[in-house]
Amino acid sequence: MTTRSIKNILQTEDFGIQLKVQGWVRSFRSNRFIALNDGSVQGNLQLVIDFTQFEESFIRRIAVGAAIEAEGILIASQGSGQTMELQVSKLTILGDCDPSTYPLQPKKHSLEFLRQIAHLRFRTNTFGAIFRIRHTLSFAIHEFFNSRGFYYLHTPIITASDAEGAGEMFQVTTLDLNNIPKNEDGSINFKEDFFERPANLTVSGQLEAELAAMALSKVYTFGPTFRAENSNTPRHLAEFWMIEPEVAFADIHDNMNLAEDLLKYVIQKVMTDCSDDLKFLNDRELEDEKQKPLAERNELSLLERLRFCVENNFERISYTEAIDILKNSNPNKKGKFQFPVEKWGTDLQSEHERYLVEKHFKKPVILSDYPKEIKAFYMRQNEDGKTVAAMDILFPGIGEIVGGSQREERLDKLESRMIEMHIPTEEMHWYLDTRKYGSCPHAGFGLGFERLVLFVTGMTNIRDVIPFPRFPGNAEF
RNA sequence: GCCUCCUUAGCUCAGUUGGUUAGAGCGUCGGACUGUUAAUCCGCAGGUCCUUGGUUCGAGCCCAAGAGGAGGCGCCA
């Protein structure tokens, strides 16, 4: 007899068939009904046992969390609440679960509590849904790029380049920290280190992806990224996953189109393939919001937000237009902003981004053409001499989900900008070579994967959408 | 890194102006019941009130420091 997943059983409705299932007990009622879940799907399969056929000591071992195997006949359910149930003829306990110490109960737990038992939280409905959706998003991203002729590129995790310019890095070393080899002048002798030079964990695969795009035309990376920033927010992690496409012969508008198409494709994919999980998370959020004051509730439900995002064009405006809107906005005039919007050239604060996305446009916004002073050295300088061809996509509740740009492909402009910004040109000879030999216009962006999962699941803390979050002071599990 | 708030039973939380023995729901454990839907009913047990120090005749409650958690800001994806 073949074992079948609960997902498969619930889909096929093969009544009258003898089959075998394995899973974990979610609840056991009336000494008769076992709700069995194997993680393949949100729903449970109801197992029905005749308790007169089993020893009382055996019945006691059917506890919440226990791993069991059951054989029986699938029949139309005799009770209401489910369409089918398995009439069990043989039951085996594969792994006991002591209810007096097992932390998960058949009741609602707070996300904060579950974060402390991240090794067990997969067993809850909420986290089952989150990680099935995370998987679906992940695969949809590969599907999207593959179907458009992109090549999946593995850029290095360890990098010796300290010029990526995207924040603090984690150093990688095999030196004995209790006995660090020194040069005569007292500085650290990195010749003794594994790579014979300082090395770090990557903060971005972009620069390497550009090199590949200069030959393969369309590439993307999808891998872990590390930032040693002391960021303590529900939107930041020290280790997160990022998607970074890089496209030759593309300008900033192609770049915006690509990002918008990608986001819509993967969100639509989850709406189609994970409807049960989304329904669960949607209802969970509605229930949760009943506790909140009206002003703090979402105007749209999770499902409505996703539909809205897929069905509407993202608003595209320039930084300059954004400043005008903000200057003339009610909160700015009434002094409601903590940071009043006054002059062109300063970076937008998150309260400003929130206003644009959540109040003014009420939809995803693509902001472009930022002042060059507040953006990275590799971004293409616009004709006005003041701005660069940068673009950020802002999502409601999440903030910046995508950051990208058309890259500076003109060698002289790139070099002078690097010198202005104190980027060591000698060390970056390999990057500059792409501008020296057969340079061409190209563009790309970085999409924060966990921020995407946040938006799609409606969760509000990024530590709840990655299995084992890493953040300052925490690397448990 | 800065600011605000929180920490009471396994979990979620009450706890009056500082006043005897710190409470509830759920869970656990014991019993009853058995076509249930986070089953239901009865009963028992369960506490370093985060830690340390201070004020006071007396501290879960007031003060200080520390630890842990959450949110806001900055950095960004």
Side-chain angles (χ1 to χ4, degrees):
Chain A
M1 198 185 313
T2 53
T3 304
R4 287 168 58 180
S5 71
I6 289 173
K7 181 181 187 178
N8 178 272
I9 292 167
L10 293 177
Q11 275 170 354
T12 49
E13 303 197 359
D14 286 332
F15 294 141
I17 298 277
Q18 181 92 15
L19 51 82
K20 188 201 279 186
V21 286
Q22 294 160 336
W24 294 270
V25 175
R26 280 293 175 79
S27 74
F28 183 38
R29 291 182 290 267
S30 299
N31 275 0
R32 190 190 291 274
F33 305 100
I34 301 169
L36 191 73
N37 187 279
D38 67 358
S40 61
V41 69
Q42 176 68 228
N44 302 324
L45 178 66
Q46 172 153 291
L47 310 184
V48 185
I49 65 165
D50 178 356
F51 54 84
T52 61
Q53 302 292 305
F54 298 94
E55 291 290 326
E56 202 183 316
S57 60
F58 181 82
I59 295 284
R60 281 173 181 282
R61 293 173 60 202
I62 307 170
V64 173
I68 63 170
E69 177 177 280
E71 289 175 32
I73 295 176
L74 193 69
I75 59 168
S77 181
Q78 309 295 295
S80 55
Q82 56 282 317
T83 56
M84 67 186 80
E85 60 197 24
L86 189 75
Q87 213 154 40
V88 175
S89 52
K90 187 180 172 195
L91 187 66
T92 314
I93 310 276
L94 301 174
D96 285 288
C97 187
D98 181 358
S100 65
T101 56
Y102 188 54
L104 292 174
Q105 302 161 19
K107 60 166 277 191
K108 188 172 164 56
H109 290 289
S110 68
L111 294 170
E112 289 82 1
F113 173 67
L114 293 172
R115 237 168 262 157
Q116 291 163 25
I117 51 164
H119 57 305
L120 298 173
R121 67 180 178 171
F122 296 104
R123 303 173 181 212
T124 63
N125 290 329
T126 300
F127 285 91
I130 290 168
F131 290 114
R132 281 187 295 272
I133 288 172
R134 186 179 163 113
H135 160 84
T136 302
L137 279 171
S138 190
F139 252 73
I141 284 161
H142 287 299
E143 269 172 15
F144 174 86
F145 285 121
N146 186 53
S147 70
R148 291 187 171 218
F150 280 71
Y151 292 108
Y152 178 28
L153 184 75
H154 296 128
T155 51
I157 305 287
I158 297 172
T159 174
S161 159
D162 61 358
E164 288 173 4
E168 293 297 311
M169 303 174 98
F170 288 101
Q171 189 163 359
V172 176
T173 182
T174 53
L175 292 177
D176 179 357
L177 297 182
N178 293 312
N179 185 20
I180 298 171
K182 296 282 177 66
N183 295 311
E184 282 178 13
D185 64 0
S187 61
I188 296 168
N189 180 9
F190 282 103
K191 281 283 163 206
E192 299 272 320
D193 203 352
F194 189 88
F195 297 106
E196 301 184 13
R197 58 192 292 189
N200 298 293
L201 294 180
T202 184
V203 293
S204 165
Q206 180 201 317
L207 301 186
E208 288 91 348
E210 281 190 56
L211 311 180
M214 290 298 99
L216 298 168
S217 287
K218 295 194 277 189
V219 301
Y220 71 104
T221 73
F222 187 173
T225 309
F226 308 88
R227 304 268 167 98
E229 304 281 343
N230 194 8
S231 294
N232 276 295
T233 84
R235 294 179 302 282
H236 291 84
L237 290 167
E239 178 183 288
F240 63 99
W241 289 64
M242 188 155 65
I243 296 100
E244 295 181 288
E246 198 66 37
V247 186
F249 314 110
D251 66 16
I252 190 166
H253 301 290
D254 300 321
N255 207 28
M256 292 183 200
N257 291 339
L258 180 69
E260 184 169 341
D261 287 352
L262 169 67
L263 288 166
K264 286 179 169 173
Y265 176 86
V266 300
I267 292 168
Q268 181 60 58
K269 186 75 180 167
V270 171
M271 290 169 74
T272 309
D273 289 6
C274 304
S275 52
D276 288 352
D277 288 321
L278 280 181
K279 172 91 172 35
F280 177 83
L281 292 172
N282 187 72
D283 294 348
R284 182 188 177 284
E285 185 184 273
L286 290 177
E287 198 59 35
D288 210 46
E289 297 216 321
K290 283 182 187 167
Q291 323 266 334
K292 292 187 189 167
L294 277 171
E296 288 174 26
R297 294 184 197 173
N298 280 301
E299 286 181 36
L300 301 177
S301 71
L302 173 61
L303 287 171
E304 287 166 343
R305 296 200 297 276
L306 298 181
R307 201 176 303 128
F308 187 85
C309 180
V310 167
E311 288 173 359
N312 290 280
N313 290 328
F314 296 3
E315 191 69 34
R316 300 186 185 195
I317 59 164
S318 69
Y319 166 88
T320 305
E321 290 167 320
I323 290 288
D324 284 343
I325 291 168
L326 289 166
K327 263 190 192 166
N328 295 317
S329 69
N330 272 328
N332 196 51
K333 286 176 178 168
K334 291 180 181 169
K336 292 278 172 61
F337 284 140
Q338 194 188 340
F339 300 92
V341 179
E342 282 157 5
K343 60 178 192 294
W344 189 95
T346 54
D347 212 349
L348 299 180
Q349 305 290 322
S350 50
E351 60 177 345
H352 305 143
E353 296 180 350
R354 290 188 96 112
Y355 174 80
L356 288 170
V357 174
E358 293 164 21
K359 295 285 188 300
H360 190 82
F361 291 113
K362 299 191 175 189
K363 59 157 110 171
V365 173
I366 308 183
L367 268 175
S368 64
D369 303 295
Y370 285 80
K372 64 179 179 183
E373 283 74 20
I374 59 173
K375 288 292 179 181
F377 74 91
Y378 50 74
M379 296 186 176
R380 193 178 197 276
Q381 296 176 54
N382 286 331
E383 298 308 312
D384 61 14
K386 289 157 52 185
T387 60
V388 289
M391 65 110 182
D392 286 354
I393 302 185
L394 310 176
F395 262 37
I398 314 294
E400 187 178 345
I401 195 167
V402 163
S405 67
Q406 184 172 340
R407 317 308 188 189
E408 182 57 80
E409 86 281 12
R410 298 161 296 189
L411 182 63
D412 55 330
K413 300 250 184 199
L414 180 60
E415 268 185 323
S416 60
R417 193 76 187 120
M418 286 172 82
I419 290 161
E420 276 173 31
M421 295 177 78
H422 309 292
I423 311 289
T425 49
E426 322 76 52
E427 211 180 289
M428 299 283 285
H429 65 91
W430 46 273
Y431 187 67
L432 289 165
D433 267 4
T434 54
R435 273 65 172 176
K436 217 188 269 179
Y437 308 118
S439 188
C440 73
H442 62 289
F445 60 83
L447 165 64
F449 185 57
E450 282 75 17
R451 289 189 180 174
L452 174 64
V453 183
L454 268 185
F455 179 73
V456 174
T457 57
M459 301 301 287
T460 53
N461 191 317
I462 202 163
R463 296 171 188 179
D464 292 332
V465 297
I466 189 167
F468 302 106
R470 271 78 181 95
F471 51 94
N474 195 298
E476 215 185 337
F477 307 108

